[in-house]
Structures are given as C-alpha cells and as structure tokens.
Amino acid sequence: MVGTAILVGVILGITDTRNAAAPAGLVPVIVGLLVVGIGAAFGTNCGYAINPARDFGPRVFTYMAGWGSEVFRAGNYWWWVPIVGPLLGGVLGGWIYDAFVGNRFPRA
C-alpha cells in the first residue's frame, strides 16, 4: 500500500504540467528507477507488492499447475492483501498528491 502510494504520488508529480514536470524523455527512466527503489526498499519485507498482478498471477498459475487451493489458504488467507493494498495505496497516493501538492497550483 505504501509503495503504491509513493509510486502514484511521484508519477503524478513528474507528469503534472502545472508543476515543474520532468522532460518527456526522462519520465520512463525516472519511473523505472522509482520502481527499482521501491522494490529495494520494500521487496524483502512485503514481496514487491506494488501491483496486484505480481502476486495474483503466480498464485493462479500455481493453482492451475496442480498445487490446489492451498496457494490461497497459505499464510492465513494472505493472498488478498497484495491485491487490495496496492489498489487502496494508489487511491491514497493520488489523494495525498492532490491535497498537498496539486491543489497549490493555479488551474490552467
């Protein structure tokens, strides 16, 4: 949730034309470095869960490959946290950016 909130907030910050936006050619590089930084900071602790597909896809694959429903019961049904957390974190990151940074610029 925190990693996704940071990701969305920084992406909004570097692409907002009312802000001192990054040059268009550098946006992919900045976002890529940001994802690597979030992964290095949170990857060991929470499994790099900044995108629901990073956890849910492999679980569905292992379910279909024969491991059965244990992949969804493991960790006291933890499978839903890396799906719901990034969704809530994305909304929270956008709201925080808009509340504390985005609304400070005049409308264009």
Side-chain angles (χ1 to χ4, degrees), residues 6-33:
I6 294 169
L7 180 66
V8 169
V10 172
I11 289 174
L12 289 174
I14 64 173
T15 59
D16 192 350
T17 56
R18 298 173 296 167
N19 193 359
L26 284 180
V27 171
V29 174
I30 294 170
V31 172
L33 290 173

Side-chain angles (χ1 to χ4, degrees), residues 45-105:
N45 188 12
C46 66
Y48 220 123
I50 60 173
N51 178 355
R54 290 189 58 88
D55 185 74
F56 189 64
R59 283 186 196 266
V60 170
F61 174 78
T62 54
Y63 173 77
M64 292 171 43
W67 274 267
S69 62
E70 178 60 30
V71 298
F72 294 105
R73 290 193 310 261
N76 293 324
Y77 297 91
W78 181 259
W79 69 271
W80 64 273
V81 174
I83 294 173
V84 174
L87 296 175
L88 295 176
V91 172
L92 182 65
W95 181 83
I96 289 172
Y97 175 81
D98 196 41
F100 293 106
V101 179
N103 285 335
R104 306 292 181 235
F105 299 116

